[in-house]
Amino acid sequence: MVGYYLIDQNANQSDVLYMEESTYQQPNGGNKQQSAEQGFADLHRPENGLSTLIGKQVNLLKEGYGEPSRIEPSSYGYDWWIYNNDEKHYMQVGVENGKIETLYAIGENVDISPFKIGQSVEEIFSKVLIETDMNFEYEGTSYRFEMTEEDMNSRPLIKMDDIFLQLYIDKFTGALSSVRYLTKKTLITQRPYELVYNGELLEAQPVPDESWTRIDEGSKQQIFDITNIMRKRYNLKRLKWDQDLANIAYVNSKFMYEKDTLPEQEKQNEELSYRLSNANIQFEIADENIAANYIDAPAVMEGWLNSERHRKNLLNNKFTYIGVGVYHKDYTQNFIRKNE
């Protein structure tokens, strides 16, 4: 079987971020993907740094970094080990069956050799040639990930020997915001770019209904953590958690999922004001970030950071409290400044 996996690249053109996914089977006789292993921006893994953990047993992680602050499930079969005791070294490590499958790092002092958090995109691109296609084979199936110009500018993909590295670029500052390391298996099941495949497509295992509550709770906490890390980067005040606000955000995300509907932006502020008043939450100013169908908390946070309207809320120094609600892959952030 030959097929396509497409992602809507107009996500940042809307006030509500939405990542649309579709899978198509290529007609017989269509162009077939190159089957040869071919990388772009092909780098070797350094001897030190976080990239050396990918594919290794979790004991190596514990020897170097100790026990995590929290362990939270994901929707891709691995558990997130959260290291957030020191925001300058914040990272999330995806562990499945005792093996490290992926790692997300945003702390300013994490060792992501040969790159650095905050590094300029000009310096990065001077070190490595990044092209638009990535071809490789996995378990007898050929895959080609295709990046758009937007992908190239905001989240290029790099091959490092037998693993992959996503660079999340803050396109407003031209600096490296965070990174994500992935095995082949994790890259295929997450499908963060358009995908063409030839053979049997590897699918993520369905998530049991009873597992979503813990996944959503973990995503909510991760969004809260990453939000304040991003704000600290710009010398902004930390936001305090408000559970009543989080409850409202959760109801909104659940409504979006169940109705398969995204609110129109011209009604959004009015709806938020009504929801806050109905819950007897006193506030001076308020606003909301919404997103749908992002793979996880790190992905949606980097999406909001690179969307002008959502970035303004995320980095608004007038806000003092935040509440986050997640339902499956629908996300809501509510921000307020209280009457105090």
Side-chain angles (χ1 to χ4, degrees):
M1 177 184 293
V2 180
Y4 297 96
Y5 184 88
L6 304 178
I7 291 178
D8 182 3
Q9 293 299 331
N10 293 322
N12 288 351
Q13 297 177 10
S14 170
D15 287 312
V16 179
L17 292 188
Y18 184 78
M19 194 70 78
E20 184 174 356
E21 305 170 357
S22 302
T23 302
Y24 300 93
Q25 183 176 353
Q26 184 178 9
N28 292 334
N31 292 332
K32 293 189 176 181
Q33 166 177 342
Q34 299 175 13
S35 60
E37 187 90 11
Q38 176 184 341
F40 65 86
D42 200 348
L43 298 177
H44 295 295
R45 282 208 247 182
E47 295 182 358
N48 301 305
L50 296 179
S51 69
T52 62
L53 294 173
I54 305 303
K56 302 296 178 58
Q57 295 299 308
V58 72
N59 288 342
L60 185 64
L61 172 67
K62 291 193 288 186
E63 288 173 7
Y65 298 92
E67 296 290 339
S69 304
R70 309 189 306 265
I71 296 180
E72 298 161 347
S74 78
S75 59
Y76 292 97
Y78 53 81
D79 288 333
W80 279 124
W81 289 36
I82 309 298
Y83 288 85
N84 72 342
N85 286 333
D86 178 4
E87 288 186 346
K88 292 184 177 181
H89 292 90
Y90 182 96
M91 63 180 181
Q92 303 182 190
V93 185
V95 178
E96 183 176 10
N97 296 324
K99 179 182 174 184
I100 300 171
E101 291 286 339
T102 186
L103 189 154
Y104 171 78
I106 191 173
E108 63 181 83
N109 290 341
V110 291
D111 186 353
I112 55 169
S113 303
F115 304 106
K116 295 183 297 183
I117 298 297
Q119 189 173 13
S120 72
V121 68
E122 291 84 6
E123 186 177 353
I124 292 171
F125 287 177
S126 71
K127 291 183 176 181
V128 62
L129 175 64
I130 300 178
E131 300 179 1
T132 57
D133 291 352
M134 169 70 73
N135 298 287
F136 62 90
E137 291 189 356
Y138 182 75
E139 295 185 345
T141 295
S142 299
Y143 294 93
R144 181 173 75 247
F145 284 96
E146 300 177 347
M147 291 190 294
T148 65
E149 183 177 355
E150 174 69 18
D151 293 330
M152 297 280 284
N153 291 328
S154 62
R155 50 186 191 134
L157 183 68
I158 294 174
K159 187 171 185 292
M160 301 181 72
D161 293 331
D162 58 339
I163 68 168
F164 300 92
L165 170 63
Q166 278 184 295
L167 301 175
Y168 287 107
I169 306 295
D170 182 338
K171 67 182 184 181
F172 290 89
T173 64
L176 182 60
S177 175
S178 63
V179 301
R180 187 194 298 255
Y181 299 97
L182 311 99
T183 60
K184 287 183 178 180
K185 172 188 171 184
T186 306
L187 178 63
I188 294 167
T189 55
Q190 290 187 355
R191 301 173 198 166
Y193 311 96
E194 294 185 8
L195 171 63
V196 182
Y197 65 93
N198 187 349
E200 184 176 352
L201 177 64
L202 177 65
E203 301 274 7
Q205 293 298 310
V207 179
D209 290 341
E210 61 271 17
S211 298
W212 275 112
T213 299
R214 291 187 60 227
I215 293 171
D216 295 343
E217 183 68 22
S219 296
K220 176 181 72 176
Q221 295 298 328
Q222 293 159 32
I223 288 172
F224 178 60
D225 287 343
I226 297 171
T227 294
N228 277 320
I229 290 172
M230 288 180 171
R231 288 174 64 86
K232 186 175 181 180
R233 179 181 294 169
Y234 295 98
N235 299 314
L236 301 175
K237 295 177 294 187
R238 288 182 59 86
L239 296 176
K240 300 175 185 178
W241 183 261
D242 187 287
Q243 187 57 46
D244 291 334
L245 207 55
N247 294 340
I248 293 174
Y250 173 79
V251 170
N252 186 67
S253 293
K254 189 171 187 286
F255 174 82
M256 289 195 299
Y257 177 84
E258 292 178 342
K259 300 296 184 181
D260 194 25
T261 301
L262 296 172
E264 297 179 8
Q265 182 57 34
E266 55 266 28
K267 299 179 181 179
Q268 187 174 338
N269 287 336
E270 178 183 350
E271 291 178 351
L272 175 59
S273 177
Y274 171 80
R275 283 179 272 140
L276 293 173
S277 298
N278 198 43
N280 296 317
I281 295 177
Q282 302 298 313
F283 63 96
E284 294 180 3
I285 56 173
D287 216 321
E288 184 170 60
N289 283 347
I290 295 175
N293 215 31
Y294 276 75
I295 62 173
D296 58 16
V300 75
M301 284 303 305
E302 295 295 343
W304 279 328
L305 186 67
N306 269 338
S307 167
E308 184 173 5
R309 183 195 180 280
H310 301 89
R311 181 189 184 91
K312 287 180 179 178
N313 287 336
L314 184 63
L315 303 181
N316 188 334
N317 203 34
K318 295 180 180 179
F319 292 131
T320 54
Y321 288 85
I322 185 174
V324 179
V326 179
Y327 193 82
H328 293 211
K329 294 186 179 180
D330 286 357
Y331 308 85
T332 302
Q333 281 182 315
N334 286 339
F335 305 89
I336 63 169
R337 180 183 182 88
K338 289 188 176 183
N339 293 322
E340 294 177 332

